[in-house]
Amino acid sequence: MTAQSPKVQFVTVTEEDEGQRVDNFLMRFLRKAPKTLVYRIIRKGEVRVNKGRVKAQTRLVSGDVVRIPPVSVPEAKTVVEGDIPRSQMQRIEDNILYEDKDLMVVNKPSGVAVHGGSGVNWGLIEVVRLLRPLAKRLELVHRIDRDTSGCLLIAKKASVLKDLQQQIRDNKLDKRYLAIVEGRWPKRKHKVDLPLRKDRPKEGGWHVVVAADGKPSVSFFTVERHLRGCDLVSVKLETGRTHQIRVHALSQGCALIGDDKYGDRDVNKRFRPLGLKRLGLHAQFLGFTHPVTKQWMCIEAPLWPDFKKIIETLALPGNVE
């Protein structure tokens, strides 16, 4: 079933939301709407700021008046505690790495989406909102892929969200990952500076490709350890594009192990019996300036047992040639 918002809304942007992108601002007011709908109404000019057309990436200023059109969206099924397995609730609670009155960092498990939608009834943010029912506002500061594990930053206040997202825009967040890549990483290839573009083929779906007209994308790879048939590499991101590590690694002939979208199916099949039944990517470190205390924070997400075990297994002789 669907429901339609009764009339056009005119929302005045407050200081707390200043600097936020139009698409992210709309997603707060149209929580039930799929992303494709949000981008379509922006593209068609149905969303206006101060009576003018805007783009999804347009940033709002305090005092701007945003026109939000009436839209038909699926009637949302409210996520309640009984909808989520108790074991999952406890697993998230046990893996909150840091928390104060302003923010929290969670070690997200692989296989858990950051939010519900697109056929997923619930995600990590829905779990956290149930775990912290007294928190007035809990918002994702950034996102990581469903199959990626590791550090995920959540803001508890609009002012904190705004500050942290500005740090992302200013390239002041330090994001470091561990990845298991196929074969041997090219010697002396530390920096991968290749623009990325998100494509939507006619047959449906989408994928990210290296393209001259793509968005600037820079990753730094360092080999940490040679394993049997693969390398363990650390990755520092200068930019944070969708699937950046996965596509940059692929561009060097070293797709991530366990990558069902960009990797080699036969290679993945060889590693699965050894225990790697997920994407070999973990957001290990997250560094940022605390918006309130102004202290530099560096949070480490311990490796999940399956990720740690595969590294130990592949370090032994005679497993994968």
Side-chain angles (χ1 to χ4, degrees):
M1 295 180 63
T2 60
Q4 181 162 320
S5 54
K7 57 185 179 179
V8 173
Q9 300 179 71
F10 292 92
V11 181
T12 301
V13 177
T14 65
E15 288 186 5
E16 284 192 337
D17 289 313
E18 183 170 20
Q20 191 168 40
R21 285 171 46 134
V22 167
D23 53 355
N24 291 331
F25 183 82
L26 285 174
M27 286 174 194
R28 265 191 40 229
F29 285 89
L30 302 173
R31 284 189 183 274
K32 305 173 188 176
K35 284 186 179 181
T36 51
L37 174 59
V38 171
Y39 287 111
R40 184 165 66 247
I41 61 176
I42 295 173
R43 188 171 60 250
K44 291 173 66 177
E46 296 178 40
V47 176
R48 301 278 177 135
V49 175
N50 303 328
K51 300 183 179 181
R53 293 180 71 127
V54 290
K55 295 182 178 180
Q57 64 268 31
T58 299
R59 297 200 179 274
L60 297 169
V61 177
S62 179
D64 281 347
V65 177
V66 181
R67 177 192 186 273
I68 304 176
V71 294
S72 296
V73 297
E75 284 197 15
K77 176 181 180 294
T78 302
V79 178
V80 297
E81 190 167 342
D83 295 331
I84 303 173
R86 186 172 296 275
S87 59
Q88 289 283 17
M89 298 276 289
Q90 189 62 50
R91 183 160 71 146
I92 301 303
E93 178 72 64
D94 292 344
N95 283 280
I96 295 174
L97 303 172
Y98 175 83
E99 182 177 13
D100 59 26
K101 61 184 176 61
D102 303 303
L103 55 86
M104 68 167 64
V105 182
V106 181
N107 185 4
K108 186 188 82 67
S110 175
V112 174
V114 294
H115 58 74
S118 299
V120 179
N121 292 329
W122 58 269
L124 186 136
I125 190 65
E126 285 82 15
V127 173
V128 172
R129 286 170 181 158
L130 289 173
L131 290 172
R132 299 292 182 269
L134 298 181
K136 292 182 179 179
R137 181 171 180 172
L138 287 165
E139 301 286 350
L140 294 164
V141 175
H142 62 114
R143 291 166 172 78
I144 57 177
D145 294 340
R146 179 177 180 177
D147 293 328
T148 303
S149 58
C151 289
L152 188 68
L153 184 55
I154 296 171
K156 294 185 175 182
K157 300 175 181 177
S159 57
V160 172
L161 177 68
K162 176 182 171 183
D163 186 292
L164 290 169
Q165 290 186 332
Q166 186 62 50
Q167 290 186 48
I168 292 175
R169 292 194 291 274
D170 295 339
N171 193 29
K172 291 182 178 178
L173 242 69
D174 186 2
K175 294 183 285 186
R176 299 172 187 262
Y177 292 72
L178 270 183
I180 303 174
V181 300
E182 175 190 348
R184 290 287 174 255
W185 187 260
K187 291 183 178 179
R188 294 180 291 279
K189 185 62 177 181
H190 178 54
K191 181 179 182 181
V192 178
D193 184 354
L194 294 171
L196 300 177
R197 186 184 69 214
K198 192 173 182 178
D199 280 358
R200 295 185 179 277
K202 291 181 180 179
E203 57 270 21
W206 60 270
H207 61 271
V208 177
V209 296
V210 174
D213 61 347
K215 295 181 180 179
S217 307
V218 181
S219 309
F220 295 91
F221 291 79
T222 302
V223 176
E224 297 293 332
R225 191 173 180 182
H226 291 307
L227 303 173
R228 291 284 183 177
C230 56
D231 274 347
L232 179 67
V233 299
S234 59
V235 190
K236 183 182 185 324
L237 295 184
E238 186 172 296
T239 54
R241 309 300 179 199
T242 301
H243 293 178
Q244 178 172 321
I245 294 174
R246 298 163 71 175
V247 179
H248 273 178
L250 177 66
S251 74
Q252 305 304 306
C254 296
L256 268 62
I257 302 297
D259 191 340
D260 292 333
K261 195 175 187 75
Y262 303 100
D264 186 299
R265 183 177 299 178
D266 291 334
V267 172
N268 292 342
K269 192 174 181 180
R270 289 167 51 208
F271 283 87
R272 202 167 290 122
L274 300 175
L276 192 65
K277 300 176 182 179
R278 49 157 290 186
L279 179 67
L281 186 61
H282 178 73
Q284 187 177 26
F285 292 100
L286 183 64
F288 57 93
T289 299
H290 194 292
V292 178
T293 67
K294 302 306 177 184
Q295 290 183 321
W296 176 253
M297 310 282 293
C298 187
I299 310 295
E300 178 179 2
L303 296 180
W304 284 86
D306 58 345
F307 201 100
K308 186 176 182 180
K309 184 178 179 180
I310 192 67
I311 294 172
E312 295 171 347
T313 299
L314 294 173
L316 299 174
N319 285 313
V320 176
E321 296 299 336

